[in-house]
Amino acid sequence: MNFDLTEEQEMLQQSLGNVMENELPVNRLREIFDGEAGHDPELWKSLVELGIGGLAISDTYGGAGLEILDLAVAAETLGYHGAPVPFLGHALAAVAIEAAGNESQKKKWLPSLATGDLVGTVALAEADGLWQPDEWKMAAGDRISGVKEFVPCAELSGVMVVGLEGGQLGLVDRNAEGISLEPVDGADRTRRMSHVTFENTPCELLADSSRGAGRLRDVGLVLCAADALGGSERLLEMSVEYAKTREQFGVKIGHFQALKHQLANMALDVEPNRGLYWFAAYAQDHEPEEAERIAAVAKAHMTDRFMQVARDAVEAHGGLGFTWECDVQIWFKRAMFNRSFLGTPSQHRVRSADLAGW
Amino acid sequence: MDLSYGSAMEGFRDEVRSFVESNWPIESENEELSFDKQASVFRERAIGQGYLYRNIPKKYGGSEQEPDVIKAQIIREEFTRKWAPTEARGIGTMMLVPTLLEKGEEWQKEKFVQPTITGELTWCQGYSEPGSGSDLASLMTKGELQGDEWVINGQKIWTSGAHVADYMFCLVRTEPEASKHAGISYLLLDMNQPGIEVRPLRMMTGSSDFNEVFFNDARTPKDWIVGKRGEGWLVSRTTLKHERNSIGAAQQTRAALAGLVKLARESEIDGRPAIEDSSIRQQLAELEGYVKAHQYSGYRQLTQDAKGGDAGIINMMMKLLSTEIGHKVAGLSMDLLEEEGLLSAGGAQLGNRSSSAGGWISQYMYSLGIAIAGGTANVQRNVISERGLGLPRDAAADRSSGK
């Protein structure tokens, strides 16, 4: 048994981390958070140069041919840095096309997704929080019409994978006719979203949708969980650092046991979950029997814990923590995104209980 | 990441499995063997195979194998799969034996190790005192060397099994002039002597497994000391580490969740099985998140132990993780028991609606005991925040010589 990352995976984290340490100091992140675009094109360029665009795309199509665990490890690092880049939708679009596309669809889209020349995204949710493949109602066909909500980084994308009735998946060229975007005033300003309206828009069905939709959803859950680990780790570090520097009553507040215990509880909501997302990601490629259920467990648990850590982090920073100036709010809002995107923890707990046969 | 144990290890698993299948239970043509008798015969055979007491040298009754946490794990898995006896889990085996092997004199190992692991000798642990709980190093029980004997006066408390144990390993203050931690020695003593009085303490569950122990000129030979005079604090650290590992086993929390699911199937809410109730399903699924996180943290620990690495802060978290899960399990079990939660454990056992109610009610309280024993939850939080997160140590705590 070797329940650990490989040296290559650690190096991947390291090199992604180095890029973000250099190019995404927190003042730069704040600038983007406060700005109009909510996206850092230079950083995305540097990251795709490291291959982040095609980590899990097979080498036949110009990707690195790695696994979901590698993708998740990257997501953790991006989550730690709060990276304002279109990674999530891009990675999921690539996973869906790889899993469900026919040869010509793969040839057409995957190489430019791998190089990052093209950004991909996924349009899944329908009104009233219908995120799951068996809930999608938009009619499938050569032309599609209807509204998809909360599509991440839609305005940056060149191709969208759209969830359709019966758990089918459609491919839509972003330049095709009849697409209109309505920006969403989302809490997380590092991952902007749009509501996307399709009006008789040309669409090509992915050949093997039945396989693709489930994998798309499960990998999405895993990536939210991995991102949550990175984000909660960052919040814990910030809170510990604050406790070591802030003084009250003539001492560093980190001397006070009440705060120490709160920070210990936060740590307990972070580190033990690392192995959970590792296994959930690993299962996507190696444990098909468990893959769907463990992805639901990991997403429900870890995005909930991330949110709790974020609330605790605000408290640990006192009045400062409640301000827009304090960096905590950036990750707090990423936690809000992770918690609700692809369905809430309680929705996934219902799924995991059903899947367990309880 | 590789979750298989590898083909060599799978071969080892087959070997262990066939051993267990052909040796457990022990059957005799002539007579019905008691469980204890069967267990002792089985253990003897398992030691012969190198499956039990692997880290204990052969001359002290162990099987003296190369350390291999993966093999140890496979053995545990295969033995428990068939409900075969594993190592006797008394406090002597778990805590004293590793300490003796690491710090004891040759004659001490020869005299005590083998009879302890076979269960012939039983032990109790004399650490806590009425005034020394979390601040254990403040202990006052006095040991004075008079001729060839230590003469001991004072009191220990929360001493599990003192009423049945043959011997005690204990911490006593032998160097009153030395600083707090440097004044303590680790002594062994015979419980059957006039200078020792054991008074049972009744636990909140109603049973009496732990005691107060009073020393009134209790005596033990001069050389029944482990380590040198004044080294007792350091010697005792070996054993505490062992206790933390054993309580932190993720397997127990998985079993607890499985038990809870079973209880939810057997209980009813509004005439339907409780397992179908949406709130109960939510709570079970939420608990599972914690249980899985605990399980994979255990895998990380195992992996690091196997390759001589360090799982870091996870090591400091395992006990608190499992006791926190224990509280959640206990709380949910009481919801499932509904009005049976009004009963005492004994009273529930007499009822006939759910056979396991008495056990759950007892566990509802016992989960608190586990969270206190071997370092309270708040002491665990101190350790995590100070050693794990690097926060300043509490100025009030005098740890000048201890570590």
Side-chain angles (χ1 to χ4, degrees):
Chain A
M1 161 165 317
N2 188 14
F3 191 77
D4 202 355
L5 299 182
T6 60
E7 244 172 73
E8 289 77 12
Q9 285 158 343
E10 280 169 2
M11 276 166 56
L12 173 66
Q13 285 196 310
Q14 189 96 53
S15 52
L16 293 172
N18 286 344
V19 163
M20 284 181 281
E21 242 143 64
N22 293 329
E23 299 186 23
L24 190 67
V26 81
N27 55 346
R28 170 79 181 137
L29 176 57
R30 296 204 64 90
E31 197 180 294
I32 292 158
F33 190 88
D34 286 334
E36 279 303 305
H39 163 62
D40 187 339
E42 288 88 35
L43 176 64
W44 180 242
K45 189 161 171 285
S46 304
L47 292 172
V48 295
E49 275 165 16
L50 285 174
I52 205 171
L55 285 177
I57 292 174
S58 52
D59 40 16
T60 327
Y61 305 109
L66 299 174
E67 300 187 343
I68 301 307
L69 179 55
D70 302 276
L71 209 52
V73 157
E76 182 205 325
T77 312
L78 296 176
Y80 178 88
H81 290 277
V85 293
F87 170 78
L88 180 60
H90 181 91
L92 294 180
V95 162
I97 296 170
E98 178 92 35
N102 61 28
E103 192 55 31
S104 80
Q105 289 166 332
K106 291 187 197 176
K107 264 193 190 142
K108 180 173 174 193
W109 298 106
L110 290 178
S112 47
L113 287 172
T115 56
D117 290 341
L118 198 67
V119 172
T121 193
V122 289
L124 308 175
E126 294 177 21
D128 295 329
L130 305 181
W131 289 98
Q132 308 310 317
D134 58 3
E135 297 171 332
W136 297 332
K137 290 178 187 151
M138 188 180 280
D142 295 344
R143 301 256 167 182
I144 56 171
S145 296
V147 179
K148 285 288 178 178
E149 298 189 335
F150 304 111
V151 178
C153 302
E155 76 292 351
L156 303 170
S157 69
V159 61
M160 292 184 192
V161 173
V162 184
L164 301 170
E165 60 179 348
Q168 300 185 76
L169 295 173
L171 268 175
V172 172
D173 188 327
R174 172 69 182 77
N175 297 316
E177 62 193 21
I179 299 179
S180 53
L181 306 185
E182 181 204 336
V184 174
D185 187 7
D188 176 11
R189 298 178 59 79
T190 62
R191 287 174 293 189
R192 304 288 169 96
M193 296 170 288
S194 301
H195 294 328
V196 179
T197 304
F198 302 97
E199 263 185 56
N200 209 26
T201 304
C203 169
E204 193 183 326
L205 286 181
L206 282 173
D208 189 5
S209 287
S210 57
R211 175 172 142 70
R215 182 161 168 95
L216 163 57
R217 188 259 325 276
D218 296 341
V219 172
L221 299 178
V222 167
L223 295 184
C224 286
D227 182 278
L229 193 278
S232 55
E233 184 173 28
R234 179 63 172 263
L235 285 167
L236 174 63
E237 277 180 24
M238 286 164 62
S239 304
V240 168
E241 186 53 35
Y242 189 69
K244 287 177 181 170
T245 47
R246 166 79 175 166
E247 287 188 15
Q248 284 289 276
F249 303 101
V251 293
K252 307 277 189 258
I253 58 172
H255 280 283
F256 298 118
Q257 205 170 35
L259 181 58
K260 277 166 40 173
H261 284 192
Q262 187 174 31
L263 293 168
N265 289 341
M266 285 168 72
L268 213 63
D269 274 341
V270 179
E271 196 54 39
N273 296 330
R274 192 182 298 277
L276 177 53
Y277 102 70
W278 285 356
F279 181 76
Y282 172 84
Q284 302 309 312
D285 290 310
H286 299 277
E287 305 281 346
E289 307 267 293
E290 290 186 68
E292 182 177 358
R293 195 164 108 75
I294 194 71
V297 172
K299 148 85 182 183
H301 186 67
M302 293 180 65
T303 63
D304 232 3
R305 296 298 90 213
F306 184 15
M307 201 67 249
Q308 185 60 49
V309 168
R311 296 187 76 85
D312 291 342
V314 171
E315 227 185 304
H317 282 74
L320 179 66
F322 196 63
T323 64
W324 192 270
E325 272 71 46
C326 181
D327 298 329
V328 167
Q329 63 127 341
I330 296 176
W331 280 270
F332 187 101
K333 288 160 187 176
R334 285 183 68 98
M336 289 172 70
F337 178 102
N338 288 27
R339 188 175 189 283
S340 294
F341 191 75
L342 291 176
T344 61
S346 63
Q347 285 167 347
H348 290 291
R349 288 188 183 119
V350 169
R351 290 186 54 242
S352 78
D354 291 347
L355 289 165
W358 289 349
Chain B
M1 175 127 345
D2 177 9
L3 291 188
S4 76
Y5 291 118
S7 58
M9 284 296 171
E10 289 311 319
F12 179 74
R13 182 190 296 279
D14 292 343
E15 186 187 296
V16 176
R17 183 171 295 182
S18 71
F19 166 81
V20 176
E21 271 163 13
S22 47
N23 288 282
W24 184 257
I26 303 281
E27 276 155 11
S28 163
E29 288 171 12
N30 309 325
E31 48 175 338
E32 187 90 346
L33 294 175
S34 71
F35 178 87
D36 284 352
K37 178 68 188 157
Q38 289 189 51
S40 116
V41 173
F42 178 81
R43 283 200 183 100
E44 210 169 292
R45 292 183 192 171
I47 290 168
Q49 292 289 317
Y51 295 158
L52 291 181
Y53 302 113
R54 294 165 46 81
N55 60 342
I56 296 174
K58 285 188 174 143
K59 60 178 169 177
Y60 311 130
S63 61
E64 197 171 347
Q65 302 291 305
E66 280 291 309
D68 188 327
V69 294
I70 302 297
K71 281 189 175 174
Q73 177 61 21
I74 288 173
I75 293 163
R76 267 196 297 277
E77 287 173 11
E78 291 304 316
F79 277 41
T80 48
R81 212 173 55 84
K82 292 295 263 182
W83 305 101
T86 50
E87 292 166 3
R89 288 176 58 82
I91 200 157
T93 307
M94 287 182 350
M95 300 186 61
L96 174 70
V97 167
T99 306
L100 282 181
L101 289 175
E102 214 167 297
K103 312 273 187 186
E105 297 284 340
E106 184 54 35
W107 74 265
Q108 292 170 337
K109 298 179 197 177
E110 280 167 16
K111 180 175 170 70
F112 295 119
V113 174
Q114 181 150 19
T116 300
I117 64 177
T118 59
E120 199 180 311
L121 280 185
T122 58
W123 293 82
C124 60
Q125 169 195 282
Y127 281 12
S128 296
E129 296 182 7
S132 305
S134 296
D135 183 13
L136 181 61
S138 68
L139 58 89
M140 307 276 284
T141 293
K142 202 167 69 177
E144 270 180 308
L145 200 55
Q146 290 179 11
D148 286 343
E149 283 185 326
W150 292 101
V151 178
I152 301 158
N153 284 285
Q155 183 195 346
K156 294 290 174 183
I157 197 166
W158 323 130
T159 318
S160 298
H163 54 304
V164 288
D166 302 304
Y167 293 104
M168 171 188 271
F169 56 95
C170 63
L171 295 177
V172 299
R173 188 161 300 284
T174 56
E175 325 298 316
E177 308 301 317
S179 68
K180 188 173 172 181
H181 296 79
I184 297 170
S185 295
Y186 189 109
L187 300 184
L188 310 176
L189 54 91
D190 191 334
M191 291 295 283
N192 298 309
Q193 56 171 304
I196 293 184
E197 186 194 347
V198 177
R199 292 185 204 156
L201 284 165
R202 197 169 179 206
M203 302 193 294
M204 66 184 290
T205 58
S207 49
S208 300
D209 296 338
F210 61 13
N211 306 275
E212 292 178 289
V213 179
F214 295 87
F215 304 104
N216 190 1
D217 285 342
R219 285 162 192 276
T220 199
K222 181 183 175 182
D223 59 352
W224 283 37
I225 180 171
V226 184
K228 295 199 177 70
R229 290 177 68 145
E231 284 183 359
W233 185 255
L234 294 173
V235 171
S236 74
R237 298 291 93 182
T238 340
T239 49
L240 267 188
K241 195 174 82 194
H242 282 269
E243 187 173 33
R244 288 224 169 99
N245 279 341
S246 61
I247 293 179
Q251 250 155 348
Q252 289 171 17
T253 61
R254 280 159 72 192
L257 178 65
L260 207 51
V261 170
K262 186 164 177 282
L263 179 64
R265 287 190 198 283
E266 291 164 356
S267 310
E268 287 191 354
I269 293 177
D270 296 334
R272 303 285 311 154
I275 191 83
E276 294 174 14
D277 179 82
S278 68
S279 156
I280 296 294
R281 292 170 79 76
Q282 279 288 331
Q283 292 179 70
L284 286 171
E286 182 173 357
L287 244 175
E288 192 182 24
Y290 288 98
V291 170
K292 289 285 180 191
H294 191 211
Q295 178 185 345
Y296 297 119
S297 297
Y299 283 16
R300 286 176 64 194
Q301 246 188 343
L302 181 67
T303 295
Q304 293 307 324
D305 289 349
K307 58 184 178 194
D310 182 1
I313 199 169
I314 280 290
N315 292 331
M316 305 169 201
M317 292 178 161
M318 290 303 270
K319 190 199 171 197
L320 187 53
L321 267 177
S322 69
T323 57
E324 291 290 297
I325 294 171
H327 290 316
K328 293 185 171 83
V329 168
L332 186 49
S333 75
M334 295 306 280
D335 279 356
L336 288 167
L337 293 181
E338 295 193 306
E339 74 281 5
E340 281 179 294
L342 288 163
L343 299 170
S344 72
Q349 237 130 24
L350 295 174
N352 53 8
R353 273 182 302 168
S354 60
S355 54
S356 62
W360 284 106
I361 290 165
S362 178
Q363 182 59 26
Y364 184 66
M365 297 174 214
Y366 194 62
S367 58
L368 283 163
I370 302 278
I372 294 163
T376 66
N378 280 342
V379 167
Q380 305 297 323
R381 290 186 183 97
N382 285 350
V383 170
I384 292 166
S385 59
E386 293 174 1
R387 291 191 218 155
L389 301 177
L391 288 161
R393 290 193 161 198
D394 188 352
D398 165 24
R399 291 151 164 140
S400 48
S401 56
K403 201 172 177 191

